[in-house]
Amino acid sequence: MSPRLAPDRQHTLTAPAQFRGVGIHTGLMVSVEVRPAEADSGIAFLRTDIDDRDALVPARGEAVCRTQLGTVISNAAGVTVSTVEHLMAALSALGIDNAVVALDGPEVPIMDGSSQPFIEALDRAGRRPQAAARRYLEVLEPVEVVEDDKRVTLSPCDRFEMAFEILFDSPAIGRQQVDLALDESVFRRELADCRTFGFFHEVEQLQAAGFARGGSLDNVVVIDGDTVMNPEGLRRPDEFVRHKALDAVGDLYLLGAPLFGRYEGVYAGHGLNNAVVRALLARPQAWRLITLPTELAEAG
């Protein structure tokens, strides 16, 4: 495990973190190197397979261009990077403020469908504090987005809290809820290993539409009727809602700073997550950037 985080300092990696895997939607093999970056530079993705235009894509909420079955970001040159949410969740949980994610393809590898492989790669690389103070985004007023029966709310809180509720017709899932005060140790213990999921009857249609071409029982929990098809079964009885919370952690890190606030998601997904990020940023009176007082940082 990486050394203990200094919560009042920005952090980057000590050395590059490397991994390789298949993109769940494209089916392409992609190699990734998460590189250290200067203080105050934030998180950005660099498409090393593109050399005829700007290939750097900042990981920010306004850069999100699609949210169907994953979060896709793009830059002004039209360069895109897909399925960023699981890696962004790992970077958020480990307190990595500044990094360049260099990849030689259009999609972050799905690995095992969770954030755990990314956590392990980042741990191997290590992290180091930087001289610059870490800025947190503090929610000052509630912000809510609603779409039919789906809802996401961000409200004031003196820490980062995550509550999520899902409901599916399949008895393999049903109604599940999770409510956590999130920090690094809680994310590692409660969310990091929870995998993405899908339904067997949708596979053919998804693949015909250009999705799920790299999906398998090695990287997706697949439900067929009332049954989980994966031979090893579930990692947790409520793995499904915990993965949705993991997704939300990654989507919220596109705010560009760690959050002091409470997230509540009901039947939500990437689209509403990005909608609430944009809604918050569009209301300057509803948030502010703060640094931690020294005594609070030392108390952890």
Side-chain angles (χ1 to χ4, degrees):
M1 186 180 295
S2 297
R4 186 174 181 270
L5 186 74
D8 62 332
R9 299 289 96 187
Q10 293 181 31
H11 285 73
T12 190
L13 297 175
T14 303
Q18 298 175 329
F19 48 88
R20 178 175 169 82
V22 68
I24 189 171
H25 295 309
T26 62
L28 300 174
M29 289 298 297
V30 179
S31 296
V32 181
E33 183 175 81
V34 186
R35 301 169 179 169
E38 295 296 319
D40 294 320
S41 61
I43 308 297
F45 289 76
L46 177 65
R47 287 280 302 274
T48 60
D49 58 319
I50 292 177
D51 59 9
D52 62 343
R53 53 197 156 134
D54 181 13
L56 191 70
V57 186
R60 299 301 297 267
E62 60 269 25
V64 173
C65 61
R66 293 196 305 274
T67 55
Q68 184 181 7
L69 301 174
T71 297
V72 184
I73 56 176
S74 67
N75 65 12
V79 174
T80 64
V81 181
S82 303
T83 322
V84 301
E85 58 272 14
H86 303 165
L87 177 56
M88 289 297 294
L91 292 166
S92 173
L94 268 60
I96 303 298
D97 302 277
N98 306 299
V100 174
V101 182
L103 68 168
D104 64 358
E107 185 178 17
V108 177
I110 191 63
M111 310 306 281
D112 73 345
S114 78
S115 287
Q116 188 61 38
F118 302 131
I119 294 281
E120 293 170 0
L122 295 169
D123 279 346
R124 288 192 297 270
R127 63 189 175 197
R128 60 178 174 86
Q130 297 173 287
R134 189 173 211 222
R135 292 181 294 273
Y136 294 76
L137 193 154
E138 180 184 22
V139 178
L140 301 176
E141 299 176 2
V143 174
E144 183 174 71
V145 292
V146 179
E147 181 183 295
D148 300 324
D149 61 343
K150 305 176 180 67
R151 173 176 57 84
V152 170
T153 307
L154 289 175
S155 54
C157 186
D158 62 0
R159 58 186 181 178
F160 181 23
E161 293 184 353
M162 168 69 59
F164 217 109
E165 178 180 353
I166 61 172
L167 176 63
F168 286 85
D169 290 337
S170 169
I173 304 178
R175 184 183 298 275
Q176 297 184 0
Q177 296 172 293
V178 67
D179 195 332
L180 297 167
L182 274 180
D183 58 17
E184 178 183 342
S185 62
V186 173
F187 184 89
R188 288 178 183 269
R189 184 174 68 248
E190 303 290 344
L191 300 182
D193 67 344
C194 296
R195 298 162 293 175
T196 193
F197 60 94
F199 296 90
F200 182 71
H201 70 271
E202 297 177 351
V203 170
E204 186 173 335
Q205 180 181 354
L206 288 172
Q207 290 180 340
F211 296 102
R213 292 176 177 175
S216 73
L217 294 178
D218 293 328
N219 53 40
V220 182
V221 177
V222 181
I223 301 117
D224 185 12
D226 302 345
T227 304
V228 172
M229 296 179 64
N230 305 63
E232 74 279 12
L234 296 175
R235 294 175 174 174
R236 303 163 186 266
D238 58 351
E239 185 171 0
F240 303 102
V241 72
R242 288 174 183 267
H243 181 79
K244 297 289 281 187
L246 181 159
D247 278 345
V249 172
D251 287 339
L252 289 174
Y253 206 36
L254 293 168
L255 283 164
L259 188 68
F260 272 6
R262 177 175 172 82
Y263 169 101
E264 296 180 0
V266 178
Y267 315 154
H270 299 296
L272 278 192
N273 290 343
N274 184 245
V276 83
V277 164
R278 289 174 180 262
L280 179 66
L281 294 176
R283 289 179 53 189
Q285 73 277 14
W287 59 276
R288 65 177 178 177
L289 291 175
I290 61 170
T291 56
L292 290 185
T294 302
E295 61 271 17
L296 180 59
E298 290 176 349

